[in-house]
Amino acid sequence: MEKTTILVHKRFTQGEIDPRIYGSFVEHMGRVVYSGIYEPEHPSADENGFRQDVMELVKKMGVTAVRYPGGNFVSNYDWRNGIGPVENRPRKIDLAWKSIETNEVGTDEFMKWADRTGISPVFAVNLGTKGIENAVSLLEYCNFPAGSEYSELRRSYGHEEPYRIKTWCLGNEMDGDWQIGHKTAEEYGRLAYEAGKAMKLLDPEIELVVCGSSMSTNATFGEWERIVLEHTYNCADYISLHQYYGGQEKGTAEFLAQSLDMERYIRTVCNICDMIMVQKHSEKKLNICFDEWGVWSIPDKEVQAKVEQNPWQVAPAISEQIYSMEDALLFAEMLMNLIRFSDRVKIACQSLLTNISACIMTERGGEAWVQPIYYPFSWMARYGRGVVMETKSEGPAYRTPSFAKVPYIDHIVVYNESDSELALFLVNRTEKKTEADFEFQMFEIGEVLESGVLHHEDKKATNLEDHDCVKPQEIHNWTKKGSHLSCIMEPLSFQMIRIKVKMMI
């Protein structure tokens, strides 16, 4: 059996994990909002119409932050349509997804849901069809205490205290020609800077996210970041990255290797940020908000075809992807990458929370259930807290048409000093058992607190019919001797191991 050796030394760390890295995304798209998080007629609905069964799953998932209200949706959205008495709100055309938006859920409703679920809101403003005034007025409505037009409007609707929303995204995917109000890097950079400048004049405490590339394969990738940051560096706090991976038809080996492209993507953007920092003679280090990420198994043309088949519906069922065990492994690798780069990636939003490329699925009037991708997220959100350790590893790798060296085992190690424990997260990319041998230096290894695996004999197994088909199991596949812990990983599996430790002086 082939073996990967992994060295962990107490003195070598990557970065502190920001809890907001375990964020998600709620967009007015398909059934994400209506019959996803919100369904007043549902037996579990609370007094505000939100499904409490979904709320409980969100809490168990460990979601810390949620981006809202889009997405492509935000680029043709006027937030003013979603406030005030619901019966007076207009039904509007959503050009992004060719649907009808009822505006039953808007800013105030979402903030009630956010409060009930205990998440931090990340709001996006419309820099597609709108601009500076629309962005600043929304900020005023949300964050200004009292005594102005929009703060008093908020108070008149029963929300006395300001929401104090901290993080604001300046538009969405403005580099993409599919975006309503798509702009060149120069056009977007100028607008984003002026909008951001005005917003920080109103509320200096907020932090701003400027649009980076919407995928690593865009023709403008790299040059877009450079130009946008040349304009916005002085007002921006983060630059966004978006990335989805599919391509299961290329085979498991190639499919699971795509996390290496994500690593390269993050490193490249960090380097561009640092280059602009030097050019600006700035001491501010710009960080990353990876505010859309996930596995996308449905080709975009199929999504668009579904939209075109029956347009202008309320909450149409589109892009309701069903994830397999195989998908869960790439999903886990992507989240591990975000944690691995936690010195620079401070906010991340898994896309989307319910029904579309989602961890949580719902049935109208019926039950809510979770997909296999739910479990790696919940494990890492719960135990991936603290400091990411820098590791050195050596072991077997394979080659694909796109990647020259793909390690059999992907891994991260997180040290939680307050709880005196290490959490190990591993993916076996191969279809055979393989060994991972950890050597810990300057740690005294104690008991193994928990060892669990997500694995199924059928890599294409899903939870569609049997909602418990793919779920975690306890596993005792490890041995411990001195400063070493070794485990024999199941083929195509994700594993989490928690170990009690003491620091050695």
Side-chain angles (χ1 to χ4, degrees):
M1 183 182 301
E2 294 185 271
K3 179 168 71 173
T4 298
T5 59
I6 303 164
L7 178 65
V8 184
H9 193 292
K10 171 62 179 64
R11 288 183 179 168
F12 301 112
T13 62
Q14 290 282 92
E16 185 86 22
I17 298 171
D18 189 317
R20 293 176 300 169
I21 213 167
Y22 303 114
S24 190
F25 179 31
V26 166
E27 178 174 7
H28 285 251
M29 174 187 180
R31 295 198 309 117
V32 177
V33 175
Y34 304 113
S35 78
I37 65 170
Y38 176 82
E39 190 177 349
E41 300 80 17
H42 194 273
S44 76
D46 67 7
E47 67 278 11
N48 298 310
F50 291 105
R51 290 183 57 154
Q52 294 182 85
D53 58 345
V54 174
M55 283 188 201
E56 288 307 308
L57 290 173
V58 172
K59 291 175 183 178
K60 290 178 182 178
M61 183 173 158
V63 176
T64 55
V66 171
R67 179 170 168 249
Y68 177 85
N72 293 354
F73 172 82
V74 80
S75 291
N76 190 46
Y77 176 61
D78 189 338
W79 67 272
R80 295 177 180 92
N81 293 327
I83 59 172
V86 173
E87 62 271 17
N88 295 339
R89 296 180 190 177
R91 292 165 66 94
K92 301 292 287 188
I93 286 173
D94 168 31
L95 295 176
W97 305 115
K98 283 199 170 183
S99 60
I100 298 296
E101 173 54 51
T102 66
N103 286 302
E104 291 173 71
V105 173
T107 298
D108 297 317
E109 288 78 18
F110 177 79
M111 290 305 297
K112 287 179 182 178
W113 180 83
D115 183 63
R116 288 289 301 272
T117 51
I119 61 95
S120 298
V122 176
F123 263 50
V125 300
N126 178 354
L127 292 189
T129 58
K130 300 293 182 181
I132 299 170
E133 187 280 329
N134 196 264
V136 173
S137 59
L138 174 58
L139 177 63
E140 179 186 333
Y141 183 87
C142 291
N143 284 16
F144 202 74
S148 68
E149 177 185 2
Y150 288 106
S151 63
E152 289 301 321
L153 188 59
R154 181 197 70 241
R155 296 175 74 212
S156 74
Y157 293 150
H159 310 286
E160 185 76 19
E161 295 300 316
Y163 294 131
R164 298 183 179 88
I165 298 169
K166 181 180 180 181
T167 308
W168 295 80
C169 301
L170 298 174
N172 172 75
E173 294 186 355
M174 300 307 296
D175 63 322
D177 60 6
W178 57 85
Q179 202 69 210
I180 307 299
H182 161 62
K183 294 170 174 60
T184 66
E186 288 281 356
E187 291 168 339
Y188 170 72
R190 287 286 299 131
L191 176 59
Y193 174 72
E194 293 300 333
K197 180 176 71 176
M199 291 173 74
K200 283 196 170 181
L201 284 171
L202 178 62
D203 186 349
E205 300 301 313
I206 62 172
E207 53 186 19
L208 298 175
V209 183
V210 297
C211 290
S213 293
S214 50
M215 62 187 77
S216 62
T217 53
N218 274 12
T220 57
F221 170 52
E223 187 69 357
W224 172 275
E225 279 77 6
R226 182 188 67 80
I227 294 171
V228 167
L229 290 179
E230 283 179 350
H231 287 290
T232 62
Y233 199 89
N234 290 337
C235 79
D237 300 285
Y238 304 90
I239 187 166
S240 74
L241 279 70
H242 291 182
Q243 189 67 54
Y244 300 90
Y245 292 111
Q248 292 89 334
E249 71 281 356
K250 295 179 181 178
T252 300
E254 178 79 15
F255 177 67
L256 296 181
Q258 291 177 104
S259 63
L260 299 177
D261 175 76
M262 188 180 184
E263 288 187 42
R264 184 169 54 210
Y265 188 22
I266 295 171
R267 286 196 183 97
T268 301
V269 174
C270 287
N271 290 338
I272 295 170
C273 291
D274 292 347
M275 178 187 71
I276 302 299
M277 178 177 68
V278 172
Q279 290 180 352
K280 295 283 186 182
H281 304 286
S282 174
E283 294 183 358
K284 178 179 72 175
K285 180 169 281 193
L286 205 70
N287 288 320
I288 289 173
C289 175
F290 213 123
D291 52 30
E292 283 190 39
W293 69 271
V295 176
W296 193 272
S297 57
I298 301 177
D300 289 346
K301 62 182 180 181
E302 288 187 22
V303 175
Q304 196 57 38
K306 181 83 171 180
V307 170
E308 298 288 349
Q309 283 172 9
N310 197 19
W312 315 123
Q313 303 299 308
V314 174
I318 57 173
S319 297
E320 300 203 354
Q321 301 174 66
I322 301 302
Y323 288 118
S324 67
M325 176 66 227
E326 182 181 44
D327 295 327
L329 297 179
L330 179 56
F331 181 94
E333 290 180 90
M334 294 180 76
L335 182 51
M336 287 161 63
N337 266 336
L338 299 172
I339 298 169
R340 180 177 289 117
F341 288 97
S342 60
D343 58 327
R344 298 300 290 271
V345 179
K346 299 300 181 181
I347 307 171
C349 303
Q350 169 270 328
S351 176
L352 288 134
L353 183 61
T354 57
N355 292 326
I356 295 177
S357 60
C359 290
I360 300 169
M361 301 298 292
T362 68
E363 297 174 11
R364 295 181 194 269
E367 64 181 325
W369 53 278
V370 302
Q371 303 225 56
I373 62 174
Y374 181 94
Y375 298 111
F377 189 105
S378 62
W379 261 343
M380 285 185 260
R382 179 178 298 178
Y383 300 119
R385 301 298 182 101
V387 176
V388 182
M389 304 303 297
E390 182 179 334
T391 65
K392 298 295 181 183
S393 63
E394 189 175 82
Y398 63 83
R399 185 184 185 92
T400 76
S402 302
F403 302 95
K405 185 178 181 181
V406 186
Y408 281 14
I409 293 179
D410 192 9
H411 70 277
I412 57 169
V413 178
V414 177
Y415 176 45
N416 187 327
E417 186 173 7
S418 61
D419 289 344
S420 300
E421 69 177 60
L422 288 169
L424 319 178
F425 302 102
L426 307 99
V427 169
N428 179 5
R429 292 180 170 116
T430 73
E431 303 199 38
K432 57 187 177 183
K433 289 190 175 186
T434 187
E435 181 179 1
D437 181 74
F438 289 87
E439 180 183 352
F440 302 98
Q441 296 185 352
M442 291 191 69
F443 285 110
E444 182 180 327
I445 304 304
E447 65 174 315
V448 173
L449 301 169
E450 185 178 359
S451 175
V453 66
L454 187 68
H455 169 68
H456 197 281
E457 293 297 328
D458 179 6
K459 65 185 178 183
K460 299 297 184 182
T462 74
N463 289 349
L464 178 60
E465 300 295 336
D466 175 0
H467 299 333
D468 290 324
C469 179
V470 182
K471 65 178 184 179
Q473 305 288 337
E474 291 184 12
I475 190 169
H476 194 303
N477 61 342
W478 51 268
T479 57
K480 186 163 61 76
K481 184 177 182 181
S483 61
H484 287 260
L485 183 139
S486 179
C487 69
I488 308 299
M489 294 192 68
E490 293 296 314
L492 297 178
S493 64
F494 171 73
Q495 183 156 354
M496 184 273 295
I497 304 175
R498 296 168 52 221
I499 313 167
K500 200 72 176 175
V501 296
K502 290 181 181 178
M503 285 190 300
M504 299 173 66
I505 307 301

